[in-house]
Amino acid sequence: MSILYFFLYLLLVTIIGLLYMGAARKITAHIQNRYGPPVYQPILDVLKLFAKKDTASHGIMHSLGPVIAYTGIAATLLFLPLGNHTPLLHFNGDLFVVLYLLVVGPLGMALGAGESANSNATIGIARALSMMLGYEIIFFMATLPVFYHYGTASIYRVIQAQGAFPDWAAILFPISFIAGLFALQGLMGEKPFELVVAPHEIASGPMVEYGGKYLGLLQIWHAVGIIVETGLFVDIFFGPQSILWFFAGTFIVFFATVIVNAVMPRFRIEQAVRFYWGLPLLLSILGILQVYIWR
Amino acid sequence: MKLFKFAQSRSLWMMHFCTGCGAVELPPTMTSRFDMERFGIIPMATPRQSDLLLITGYLTVKTLKRVVRAYEQMPTPRYVIGFGSCTINGGMYWDSYNVIKKLELYIPVDLYINGCMPRPEAIIDAFLKLREMIDKGEANAWKKYIENYEWYKKNQAEVFDVEKWSLKK
């Protein structure tokens, strides 16, 4: 029964994630003074990709790469509470499991793209793994004060420990919240940290040799990834919400990243990592100092 | 299956093979002035990801090799639009020694846009026409390439220097 429940949950999150991608394209279009595609356009794209008749594969690992990536992000959903709704699994320390599972996606892509032996794919993967040195550290250090303050490493318990509006972690730890927003922009791979994909520069990086069904799988991986990443952020910083308010919160956070994405150029890889080790790192250290002094 | 057909005609990912002058007419079509993204058409980076190949302008023998290779990498169903007079009859290069005159002999073409160069309005019109053709099931040029593969390969080998490029191997 819980397996059926999980698949329904996965389907729901996939469709909502695809609609978020459509909304992002619509918002970007309006910023650029055009109409843009309909909001359901990414769903049509995915259906079209799965309707492709033949798809070139460069070997077993190349075919399995997108599957590993999608499985990794789907497994993260097991631990992700949608607001005050209980997740399928929760225990003390599941935050670390989620942080590890978030790496499975880029790793699956690295394994798959590596077998295609395309130099653009290799550059994209190298950039993706170097970028992690930037945003992963900041993201972890920004969420650390919250978990330290509530004395648990379970996402579910952290949510339950927070109260209604004035008791949010975002209000208690504003400095960490801002550092977390910086990390989220890199985690989502939006501009100015879009250098993994960079279509004009390295021809969409790791995806360069993927087409048809594999690309469709990578699209829905990205869609679920949007919900997981913004959802984790909303869960940790905005406390218990009803499911509708949870999705409203994720959409607001996503909206902020899309607006930054629409008006920003792209960093080079060393600029991006250096940026993360500057102001965001300082902010996250200040956040940790705050919780240390407070206790 | 009707849903898949609907998705195929509403979502066309395009690779534009800009050999020269056509590159000037496409940016206005993509950006705010004419906005082709409202029809679900966006430019993609590689042939493996795209459904629609846009050949803009003349093709020399050297670029034709790249076009054939890009075309064969695209997953089926795939569509080709010949863009401008040069792809129809050579255009202003009708007597050039190293420009091919008829694109149709080397890869199958679904649709031509004539003019030198066609305006963005004409390009949008062609995209809508292609969408109509996919809806009706008429855009089947990619099947022709599979059925008449020998014939297309023979035509390609005639213009390529076979000895030099060792295409027969």
Side-chain angles (χ1 to χ4, degrees):
Chain A
M1 200 53 214
S2 62
I3 291 176
L4 185 70
Y5 173 72
F6 174 70
F7 278 108
L8 282 175
Y9 185 32
L10 185 60
L11 187 71
L12 174 81
V13 169
T14 307
I15 288 172
I16 291 177
L18 285 172
L19 289 176
Y20 273 33
M21 281 163 73
R25 282 169 71 175
K26 196 85 187 167
I27 292 162
T28 313
H30 276 275
I31 289 171
Q32 294 171 353
N33 200 9
R34 34 185 194 98
Y35 289 107
V39 176
Y40 55 84
Q41 183 66 43
I43 299 179
L44 293 184
D45 290 346
V46 168
L47 283 177
K48 174 208 67 179
L49 286 170
F50 279 110
K52 284 280 183 194
K53 288 207 162 49
D54 56 351
T55 313
S57 174
H58 296 272
I60 296 169
M61 209 58 230
H62 187 260
S63 316
L64 279 180
V67 180
I68 294 172
Y70 188 61
T71 317
I73 208 82
T76 321
L77 278 182
L78 287 170
F79 302 97
L80 185 82
L82 302 183
N84 55 11
H85 165 273
T86 319
L88 285 167
L89 294 172
H90 62 91
F91 48 84
N92 200 1
D94 61 5
L95 171 75
F96 303 107
V97 180
V98 167
L99 286 178
Y100 272 104
L101 284 174
L102 281 179
V103 186
V104 172
L107 214 60
M109 225 151 84
L111 289 170
E115 194 167 23
S116 72
N118 190 310
S119 50
N120 285 325
T122 318
I123 295 170
I125 288 302
R127 287 179 178 188
L129 299 179
S130 323
M131 271 289 287
M132 276 185 184
L133 285 177
Y135 66 75
E136 287 266 290
I137 293 172
I138 309 297
F139 191 76
F140 185 69
M141 282 173 67
T143 52
L144 194 63
V146 183
F147 289 94
Y148 183 68
H149 180 70
Y150 294 113
T152 173
S154 155
I155 300 168
Y156 176 67
R157 293 216 191 106
V158 159
I159 293 167
Q160 296 304 320
Q162 298 178 43
F165 168 61
D167 283 342
W168 287 352
I171 310 265
L172 290 179
F173 305 103
I175 307 170
S176 302
F177 175 67
I178 292 166
L181 274 178
F182 278 115
L184 191 72
Q185 194 77 16
L187 196 62
M188 308 263 292
E190 302 276 15
K191 273 177 238 165
F193 308 107
E194 197 213 16
L195 35 79
V196 177
V197 180
H200 310 103
E201 189 185 333
I202 51 169
S204 73
M207 273 121 71
V208 65
E209 287 287 331
Y210 282 115
K213 296 178 181 69
Y214 303 121
L215 194 59
L217 212 54
L218 288 175
Q219 291 276 320
I220 57 176
W221 167 59
H222 184 61
V224 179
I226 287 172
I227 302 289
V228 166
E229 286 148 9
T230 53
L232 196 61
F233 193 77
V234 168
D235 275 344
I236 293 171
F237 284 105
F238 293 108
Q241 308 282 354
S242 68
I243 288 201
L244 276 180
W245 276 110
F246 169 80
F247 280 115
T250 52
F251 190 76
I252 290 166
V253 173
F254 181 61
F255 187 73
T257 61
V258 167
I259 285 182
V260 175
N261 176 54
V263 296
M264 282 279 178
R266 188 164 48 230
F267 274 143
R268 287 200 310 267
I269 179 67
E270 81 275 13
Q271 287 171 330
V273 176
R274 193 170 292 154
F275 172 81
Y276 270 125
W277 287 357
L279 181 70
L281 186 70
L282 188 72
L283 285 176
S284 56
I285 289 172
L286 283 179
I288 292 172
L289 276 181
Q290 181 201 352
V291 75
Y292 182 72
I293 293 164
W294 198 353
R295 279 220 137 186
Chain B
M1 295 317 100
K2 234 182 169 177
L3 185 67
F4 280 128
K5 190 146 260 177
F6 181 79
Q8 274 172 349
S9 67
R10 256 63 178 179
S11 156
L12 288 167
W13 288 355
M14 175 190 85
M15 196 183 69
H16 45 289
F17 201 100
C18 287
T19 51
C21 33
V24 183
E25 303 296 322
L26 274 170
T29 320
M30 289 173 205
T31 49
S32 305
R33 179 71 176 87
F34 290 98
D35 184 25
M36 70 181 186
E37 199 187 353
R38 66 199 148 116
F39 303 116
I41 305 164
I42 45 170
M44 282 318 250
T46 71
R48 293 228 192 264
Q49 300 166 351
S50 38
D51 319 295
L52 172 61
L53 184 62
L54 210 63
I55 311 282
T56 67
Y58 68 92
L59 284 177
T60 59
V61 174
K62 199 173 170 184
T63 43
L64 180 67
K65 272 177 62 68
R66 275 75 182 172
V67 166
V68 168
R69 191 161 171 191
Y71 179 73
E72 287 178 354
Q73 280 185 355
M74 288 162 69
T76 55
R78 53 197 172 194
Y79 316 102
V80 179
I81 291 185
F83 183 109
S85 318
C86 299
T87 52
I88 303 172
N89 56 11
M92 62 189 277
Y93 302 97
W94 61 277
D95 60 348
S96 171
Y97 63 95
N98 67 346
V99 171
I100 59 146
K101 310 300 181 298
K102 270 188 172 177
L103 179 61
E104 228 169 16
L105 294 176
Y106 311 102
I107 56 173
V109 181
D110 286 288
L111 202 63
Y112 284 113
I113 315 171
N114 68 357
C116 181
M117 293 301 291
R119 292 271 307 155
E121 289 95 329
I123 306 170
I124 296 277
D125 194 41
F127 287 149
L128 291 181
K129 174 81 180 159
L130 182 70
R131 175 199 271 193
E132 213 173 274
M133 282 168 72
I134 298 168
D135 275 338
K136 286 184 193 155
E138 288 168 1
N140 287 327
W142 59 277
K143 283 183 188 159
K144 264 199 288 188
Y145 192 73
I146 296 167
E147 284 159 13
N148 307 317
Y149 187 70
E150 297 291 316
W151 186 76
Y152 281 112
K153 279 291 149 196
K154 186 172 71 64
N155 285 345
Q156 288 162 14
E158 272 170 21
V159 287
F160 302 152
D161 191 338
V162 180
E163 294 300 314
K164 198 171 168 189
W165 300 107
S166 68
L167 211 88
K168 278 203 170 147
K169 275 179 205 163

